[in-house]
Amino acid sequence: MKKILITGGAGFIGSHVIRLFVDKYPDYHIYNLDKLTYAGNLENLKDVEEKPNYTFIKGDIIDDNFTQKLFEKYLFDGVIHLAAESHVDRSITNPMEFIMTNIVGTVNLLNAARNIWKNNFGDKRFYHVSTDEVYGSLGETGYFFEDTPYDPHSPYSASKASSDHLVRAYHDTYNLPVIISNCSNNYGPNQFPEKLIPLFINNIRHNKPLPVYGKGENVRDWLYVVDHARAIDVIYHSDKTGETYNIGGHNEWKNIDLIKVLCRVMDKKLGRDKGTSEKLITYVTDRAGHDLRYAIDSSKLQKKLGWKPSLQFEEGIEKTVDWYLANQEWLDNVTSGNYQKYYEDMYGRR
Ligand code: NAD
Ligand code: TYD
């Protein structure tokens, strides 16, 4: 039985990757290592927790002694590394947590893998999950390719860029069998409501203002989270290490246009009059260093590994809204307590 370590499995994307791997590969044992920060939630994995090929381990990747012992105990055959601090706005107020988890934590995992694998790599894999934000910001045209130079602007993207460089350095210096993917913005069930789509769904539900940064003209390329998990599966099982793949939805939206679609879908689902939710749109001070546009060219992944997104955006957004409305208890649980303070701190001063 292959032992696969998935880090950050209690988070948004990680929980979808865990579910896919546990269900699809009964001959793998999946170990979910997660610190359970505010963004990690074991409720995301309720349907998986009793499965015989799944084990949850609570722990912090910043702790090198812990990560080293963990690898010695379980002798993992592969690693899919998603654990990270992931929210740009939080990185602006508290960069150091991002440096510690995203950079130091990644190096701890690389060292632990290197120490147990020695030079017997066989079909071992260290898969680092990263973001398109490392490439910086595009103008009105053009795409990010795998060889686009890195140009990060936020502490979040700079910490992810740094970890990507270190992962590549461990490949080039120690031959560690690494793979990296850089994905565009994800949306879907289980996303913590500090990111645009779940935050706005929650605010519309409570008739609260929808804080649009700047003029709402920034563009993001949105991918349904299950399609990201499917891409991770295909890439993890690809033949060649040392490779990078871009993952994206070819689905660019100006924030304000996406928000209007979301408002329309919410009005319909909540039985409100057309135009009700749009009235909640409130323009607020722009995010510092706000990247104008992200857009991914994923043709390498599509051509070499045969992946493509399975959902059209309209279908994905309906599914997403349906999930949050059917799981209001989940939303209420994660938005109580510390979240209230975060919200006041973040939006109270805008
Ligand atoms: P998330 O914030 O929802 O989840 C992160 C998880 O990591 C949480 O469960 C958290 O508890 C855990 N974690 C944080 N610090 C840890 C530590 N020190 N030790 C152990 N566990 C820790 O993030 P997400 O949106 O699911 O993103 C997952 C990965 O995918 C990240 O690496 C992110 O950079 C990348 N990514 C995200 C997106 C996106 O749109 N969300 C897009 C591209 C890439
Ligand atoms: P976000 O979901 O934080 O993802 P990222 O910054 O990683 O792209 O934000 C998506 C876009 O929405 C981004 O351009 C910032 C904008 N945004 C707002 O306008 N208001 C908000 O309250 C949030 C959280 C984001």
Side-chain angles (χ1 to χ4, degrees):
M1 209 176 205
K2 283 220 157 82
K3 296 175 179 180
I4 315 287
L5 175 69
I6 299 184
T7 70
F12 167 47
I13 301 169
S15 61
H16 289 276
V17 177
I18 296 258
R19 179 171 301 104
L20 188 144
F21 272 69
V22 167
D23 289 347
K24 187 169 172 187
Y25 300 107
D27 53 335
Y28 289 178
H29 195 103
I30 303 301
Y31 295 85
N32 172 14
L33 167 62
D34 200 295
K35 182 179 176 177
L36 299 182
T37 67
Y38 76 93
N41 186 349
L42 288 178
E43 271 189 54
N44 294 347
L45 290 166
K46 273 237 160 317
D47 55 323
V48 171
E49 65 191 12
E50 299 296 331
K51 301 268 168 86
N53 63 335
Y54 171 75
T55 302
F56 173 69
I57 302 162
K58 186 170 188 306
D60 190 339
I61 59 168
I62 296 173
D63 182 346
D64 60 339
N65 191 33
F66 165 76
T67 46
Q68 187 55 45
K69 292 220 166 79
L70 189 76
F71 276 68
E72 282 164 11
K73 177 170 176 192
Y74 292 107
L75 300 172
F76 301 117
D77 299 289
V79 178
I80 305 178
H81 175 36
L82 295 109
E85 287 292 338
S86 69
H87 184 41
V88 174
D89 294 319
R90 285 187 193 250
S91 83
I92 294 169
T93 44
N94 192 359
M96 192 49 88
E97 278 180 12
F98 287 70
I99 309 300
M100 293 309 293
T101 289
N102 299 0
I103 306 177
V104 176
T106 300
V107 175
N108 285 338
L109 294 170
L110 289 166
N111 283 338
R114 195 178 152 231
N115 286 341
I116 59 153
W117 294 343
K118 313 275 184 231
N119 283 319
N120 304 319
F121 296 131
D123 59 357
K124 306 275 194 293
R125 285 278 182 284
F126 189 107
Y127 181 171
H128 177 62
V129 175
S130 192
T131 166
D132 61 354
E133 304 193 25
V134 299
Y135 297 124
S137 183
L138 292 164
E140 302 217 328
T141 57
Y143 292 96
F144 296 136
F145 296 90
E146 283 79 359
D147 59 0
T148 299
Y150 278 25
D151 182 23
H153 297 289
S154 72
Y156 164 64
S157 53
S159 67
K160 291 295 290 188
S162 174
S163 63
D164 291 12
H165 287 316
L166 284 156
V167 170
R168 281 198 190 94
Y170 272 62
H171 174 264
D172 297 349
T173 309
Y174 308 114
N175 295 320
L176 204 75
V178 310
I179 311 184
I180 299 180
S181 59
N182 298 86
C183 188
S184 62
N185 286 60
N186 284 213
Y187 71 98
N190 307 98
Q191 187 168 30
F192 192 82
E194 63 186 358
K195 306 276 175 79
L196 181 73
I197 290 180
L199 173 71
F200 279 31
I201 290 175
N202 195 38
N203 284 13
I204 292 172
R205 191 164 74 96
H206 292 293
N207 279 308
K208 280 172 65 174
L210 304 177
V212 179
Y213 298 163
K215 294 186 180 148
E217 284 180 349
N218 305 67
V219 175
R220 298 291 182 263
D221 173 359
W222 294 93
L223 180 69
Y224 192 63
V225 61
V226 174
D227 282 331
H228 188 188
R230 287 176 47 246
I232 289 174
D233 176 21
V234 169
I235 294 168
Y236 181 80
H237 291 98
S238 62
D239 292 337
K240 211 162 157 250
T241 57
E243 292 286 318
T244 296
Y245 295 91
N246 278 352
I247 310 171
H250 269 294
N251 178 41
E252 287 178 53
W253 287 84
K254 243 184 211 175
N255 289 342
I256 192 64
D257 296 336
L258 182 150
I259 290 160
K260 286 182 179 165
V261 169
L262 196 58
C263 287
R264 275 202 294 280
V265 174
M266 286 292 284
D267 282 344
K268 192 176 80 185
K269 301 277 177 189
L270 295 172
R272 294 180 182 170
D273 290 342
K274 258 191 185 162
T276 307
S277 302
E278 273 193 33
K279 292 197 189 104
L280 298 169
I281 291 175
T282 310
Y283 291 92
V284 299
T285 314
D286 207 354
R287 173 188 279 170
H290 197 173
D291 288 334
L292 176 67
R293 174 171 167 259
Y294 302 144
I296 278 275
D297 181 296
S298 63
S299 46
K300 175 178 174 187
L301 174 61
Q302 304 214 16
K303 283 193 194 124
K304 289 209 167 165
L305 303 181
W307 171 90
K308 62 176 193 307
S310 69
L311 274 189
Q312 294 299 313
F313 188 62
E314 288 69 16
E315 196 186 345
I317 210 76
E318 286 237 4
K319 267 176 107 122
T320 303
V321 167
D322 286 343
W323 187 87
Y324 286 97
L325 292 180
N327 289 276
Q328 299 196 22
E329 205 181 315
W330 182 94
L331 258 180
D332 290 337
N333 286 344
V334 298
T335 51
S336 61
N338 286 340
Y339 178 82
Q340 303 290 354
K341 181 166 180 332
Y342 160 80
Y343 198 83
E344 270 163 38
D345 288 351
M346 183 62 74
Y347 292 100
R349 64 168 185 264
R350 281 180 182 276

